[in-house]
C-alpha cells in the first residue's frame, strides 16, 4: 500500500470509528485529522469536503461489512438456505459487541435526511448489494421468488438490528431467524420439519 493509499485508509478508518461512535454531525474534519494523525490539508487532497468523506466512508464500510458477513455465513455452512439463517447468527454476535451502535447506513440516513446528500448513493448501494446477495442465496436454495424472499429477509435483518440497538436485546437476531426459517419452509427451501439446532 502506497503512503497516499495508507493515509486515505487511515482517514476512512478513523472517520468511520468517530462517526459510528459519536454521530456524523457531531464529528468535524479537525477531529478526524487529529485522531487519524493525517494533516487536514492531506485530508482535503483526498476528499473535496466532509460530505465526500462521509460518502467514501460509507462505501468503505459497505465493502468491509459485506465481506465480514459473507465470510461469517460461509464459515458456518455451505447450504444456501442454511446460509440465509446463518446471517442471523452472525448478527447476534455483532449485537453482543460492546461497540454495537446499530447499522451505520440507517444511522447516516437518519442524520442526513437530505436525499441529495452524497451519502445517500452509498446508502442505497449498500441495501441493493445486500438484497442482491440474499436473492442469490435464495435462488441457489431453489426459492421460486428469490427477490421477494430477499426483501423479506432484509426487513427481518433491519428490524432485528434496530430492536437490538434500541432495546439492547441481542436475542432479536434469533427471533428474526425463527421467522426467516418459517419463510424458507413456506418457500420450499427447507423441509417443514426443519428446526434450528
Amino acid at each position: 500500500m502506497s503512503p497516499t493509499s495508507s493515509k486515505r485508509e487511515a482517514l476512512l478508518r478513523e472517520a468511520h470509528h468517530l462517526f459510528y461512535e459519536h454521530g456524523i454531525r457531531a464529528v468535524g474534519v479537525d477531529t478526524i485529522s487529529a485522531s487519524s494523525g493525517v494533516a487536514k490539508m492531506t485530508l482535503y487532497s483526498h476528499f473535496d469536503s466532509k460530505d465526500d468523506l462521509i460518502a467514501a466512508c460509507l462505501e468503505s464500510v459497505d465493502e468491509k461489512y459485506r465481506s465480514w458477513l459473507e465470510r461469517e455465513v460461509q464459515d458456518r455452512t455451505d447450504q444456501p438456505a442454511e446460509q440465509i439463517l446463518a446471517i442471523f447468527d452472525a448478527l447476534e454476535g455483532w449485537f453482543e459487541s460492546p461497540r454495537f451502535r446499530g447499522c451505520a447506513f440507517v444511522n447516516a440516513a437518519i442524520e442526513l435526511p437530505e436525499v441529495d446528500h452524497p451519502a445517500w448513493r452509498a446508502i442505497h448501494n449498500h441495501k441493493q448489494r445486500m438484497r442482491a446477495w440474499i436473492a442469490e442465496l435464495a435462488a441457489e436454495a431453489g426459492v421460486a421468488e428469490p427477490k421477494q424472499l430477499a426483501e423479506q429477509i432484509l426487513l427481518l435483518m433491519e428490524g432485528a438490528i434496530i430492536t437490538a440497538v434500541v432495546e439492547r436485546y441481542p436475542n432479536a437476531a434469533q427471533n428474526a431467524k425463527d421467522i426467516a426459517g418459517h419463510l424458507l419452509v413456506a418457500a420450499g427451501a427447507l423441509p417443514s420439519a426443519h428446526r434450528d439446532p
Side-chain angles (χ1 to χ4, degrees), residues 62 65-66 105 122-130:
D62 167 64
Y65 174 78
R66 288 185 301 106
F105 300 91
I123 293 167
H124 284 301
N125 285 346
H126 171 70
K127 300 305 178 185
Q128 288 172 357
R129 290 165 185 155
M130 289 296 298

Side-chain angles (χ1 to χ4, degrees), residues 19-65:
F19 290 156
Y20 191 66
E21 188 76 17
H22 304 289
I24 291 171
R25 294 201 181 276
V27 176
V29 292
D30 289 334
T31 301
I32 295 167
S33 172
S35 186
S36 65
V38 178
K40 190 174 176 181
M41 185 179 294
T42 303
L43 184 154
Y44 280 118
S45 74
H46 289 287
F47 309 101
D48 291 337
S49 66
K50 180 185 174 182
D51 287 348
D52 288 338
L53 171 59
I54 294 166
C57 180
L58 288 172
E59 285 289 350
S60 176
V61 171
D62 167 64
E63 183 179 337
K64 290 178 173 61
Y65 174 78

Side-chain angles (χ1 to χ4, degrees), residues 88 92 95-96 160 163-164 168-178:
F88 298 96
E92 183 177 41
F95 296 170
E96 291 173 345
T163 300
R168 302 296 178 193
Y169 182 54
N171 202 44
Q174 290 303 312
N175 289 344
K177 180 181 177 180
D178 290 344

Side-chain angles (χ1 to χ4, degrees), residues 18 93 102 106 131 145 150 158 191:
L18 292 169
V106 172
R131 193 177 290 113
E145 299 289 342
E158 298 202 340

Side-chain angles (χ1 to χ4, degrees), residues 103-171:
C103 172
F105 300 91
V106 172
N107 295 349
I110 292 168
E111 283 204 71
L112 306 168
E114 308 87 358
V115 294
D116 59 344
H117 190 287
W120 274 87
R121 175 176 286 186
I123 293 167
H124 284 301
N125 285 346
H126 171 70
K127 300 305 178 185
Q128 288 172 357
R129 290 165 185 155
M130 289 296 298
R131 193 177 290 113
W133 172 57
I134 299 166
E136 183 180 332
L137 291 177
E140 291 173 3
V143 173
E145 299 289 342
K147 290 183 179 179
Q148 180 182 4
L149 184 73
E151 290 282 358
Q152 294 168 331
I153 296 298
L154 194 59
L155 282 171
L156 287 173
M157 291 171 64
E158 298 202 340
I161 291 169
I162 291 169
T163 300
V165 75
V166 170
E167 299 188 16
R168 302 296 178 193
Y169 182 54
N171 202 44

